[in-house]
Amino acid sequence: MSRPPQRPARRPGGLGAPEPSDDQPRVTGKVVRAQSGFYEVDTPDGRLTAVLRGRLKKARRAEGLVVLGDDVRVALLPQAEGDSGHVDAVIDERLPRRTVLVRRAPGAKGAWSQDVVVANIDQLVPTFSVRDPEPSLRMLDRFLALAEMDHVASAIVFTKLDLGAPPAVVEAMREYARIGYPVIGCSLATGEGIAEVRAQLAGRVSAVVGPSGVGKSSLLNQVEPGLDLKVGDVSEALHKGRHTTRVGVLHALSTGGLVADTPGLREIGIWQVNPADLELGFVEFRPLLDACRFSNCSHIHEPGCAVRAAVADGTIWRARYESYAAMLNDA
Ligand code: GDP
Ligand code: ZN
């Protein structure tokens, strides 16, 4: 026996979160837009508007309930004819996450609170211009460290090659490649590197991050002409507005990739790091960590430090070590 069809609720949460019966059909999909309790879920049957099932809201708050990028099981609700702005489905279950990008904040008694900002990201794509504005390698190292600490890969993009990369930036591009990161230089003026960026984003879920003015929006518009992202820092302007909409979006690329844009990610530059984990954020330090004389070596002043020995002999690029020391000092 099936229960009578229910009217979908118009508000997420509160009074009317619909409870689907067990015999309503389920499909699996990905959350590509999240805003104030409403989720757009891409499924093989098309895009559905969904809300969370009541019992899901209570479960595991700390992990975040359902965030942008989550793969979910949804129960389809019976369609109401001519109902505009309707809810099509209820999110029943969140599937296991492959990765999470986590914003951490120090709390009481040395505990750190963790806030999942986006799930199932394959790669962070820190993007800087070779000049105008001059790239901040400190900020780049922060992005790389945050991604490493969450086991998310990174690929680095340098834009505006047509303006001429200063020697220090050319050296940096070489050094990041030596560490093992994909490094792509590109220019919208000459078209150089655009195909490489397109290939790097193809079939992956990416988060393109970096300071404003480096050319992220124009680059993505070039990579995917239908995207129509606003050039000239509109996101920042919206962000400062009084009625900020906390909307997160995954933009679909024709290559099968997705690019995340969410307010939480725009603030990644100021995310906190836990000093105890920081060494794991510098991937080229990792093979050396067991070789330090003290197992809790901070790699700053201890004798017998294998990391500092590697800096001295050039195995580790000194600028990276200086970023590590600066981040440790800030943390
Ligand atoms: P965003 O804030 O990172 O999204 O940057 P935008 O896409 O808004 O671009 C900022 C400015 O940089 C715009 O005036 C773009 O025209 C310019 N720009 C972007 N890419 C290039 C490039 O490859 N070469 C040059 N010379 N200018 C660029
Ligand atoms: Zn050490």
Side-chain angles (χ1 to χ4, degrees):
M1 281 271 293
S2 65
R3 288 189 286 159
Q6 296 159 305
R7 288 283 299 171
R10 283 201 176 63
R11 291 175 177 286
L15 307 167
E19 291 294 324
S21 64
D22 290 340
D23 54 5
Q24 272 159 336
R26 259 73 172 171
V27 290
T28 301
K30 182 181 274 298
V31 174
V32 295
R33 186 182 175 95
Q35 180 175 24
S36 353
F38 286 98
Y39 302 87
E40 305 265 304
V41 182
D42 265 358
T43 74
D45 300 345
R47 183 166 297 187
L48 305 173
T49 301
V51 294
L52 281 187
R53 188 171 186 152
R55 68 170 162 74
L56 249 193
K57 291 188 204 165
K58 297 185 197 101
R60 294 175 298 202
R61 282 199 179 279
E63 291 171 42
L65 301 161
V66 170
V67 300
L68 190 69
D70 265 323
D71 296 317
V72 293
R73 295 267 296 164
V74 300
L76 300 174
L77 293 172
Q79 284 295 339
E81 282 295 326
D83 189 2
S84 63
H86 60 255
V87 172
D88 309 300
V90 173
I91 297 175
D92 242 359
E93 186 187 352
R94 194 192 72 209
L95 302 184
R97 291 166 169 163
R98 284 178 291 115
T99 64
V100 285
L101 274 179
V102 177
R103 182 172 45 215
R104 298 174 175 82
K109 300 178 205 146
W112 283 66
S113 70
Q114 308 206 343
D115 201 8
V116 176
V117 172
V118 56
N120 299 322
I121 287 279
D122 296 311
Q123 61 182 353
L124 196 69
V125 184
T127 302
F128 290 85
S129 42
V130 296
R131 62 166 73 200
D132 299 343
E134 183 185 317
S136 163
L137 299 185
R138 280 289 148 75
M139 194 189 292
L140 170 54
D141 288 334
R142 278 187 66 82
F143 291 156
L144 296 174
L146 288 163
E148 291 294 346
M149 290 158 81
D150 285 337
H151 314 285
V152 171
S154 293
I156 305 165
V157 171
F158 283 96
T159 59
K160 308 193 190 183
L161 276 188
D162 56 285
L163 299 182
V169 176
V170 174
E171 182 194 7
M173 292 173 77
R174 199 174 52 233
E175 289 292 340
Y176 286 104
R178 182 161 75 97
I179 293 165
Y181 289 112
V183 177
I184 302 172
C186 67
S187 163
L188 293 187
T190 68
E192 183 180 0
I194 304 300
E196 283 91 331
V197 174
R198 194 175 286 127
Q200 187 68 38
L201 299 179
R204 297 190 173 101
V205 185
S206 306
V208 177
V209 297
S212 63
V214 302
K216 298 180 300 297
S217 320
S218 4
L219 175 61
L220 288 171
N221 285 337
Q222 191 71 29
V223 162
E224 185 73 29
L227 220 47
D228 268 339
L229 299 178
K230 296 271 165 49
V231 171
D233 216 12
V234 167
S235 61
E236 211 91 346
L238 272 179
H239 208 50
K240 287 189 189 115
R242 270 194 307 148
H243 305 290
T244 308
T245 32
R246 305 288 292 181
V247 53
V249 185
L250 282 176
H251 299 290
L253 305 177
S254 48
T255 53
L258 295 165
V259 176
D261 183 18
T262 154
L265 270 177
R266 280 175 224 146
E267 296 155 7
I268 187 172
I270 56 169
W271 289 5
Q272 310 255 8
V273 289
N274 185 342
D277 296 335
L278 186 60
E279 63 185 13
L280 300 175
F282 288 75
V283 69
E284 72 275 40
F285 294 10
R286 288 186 185 178
L288 301 165
L289 297 177
D290 286 340
C292 291
R293 186 178 307 162
F294 300 103
S295 61
N296 62 349
C297 187
S298 71
H299 323 298
I300 299 295
H301 50 74
E302 296 86 345
C305 174
V307 170
R308 278 187 300 134
V311 174
D313 73 17
T315 314
I316 289 176
W317 189 34
R318 183 170 297 276
R320 288 273 293 172
Y321 177 74
E322 285 167 0
S323 283
Y324 166 81
M327 283 179 72
L328 192 64
N329 192 44
D330 290 347

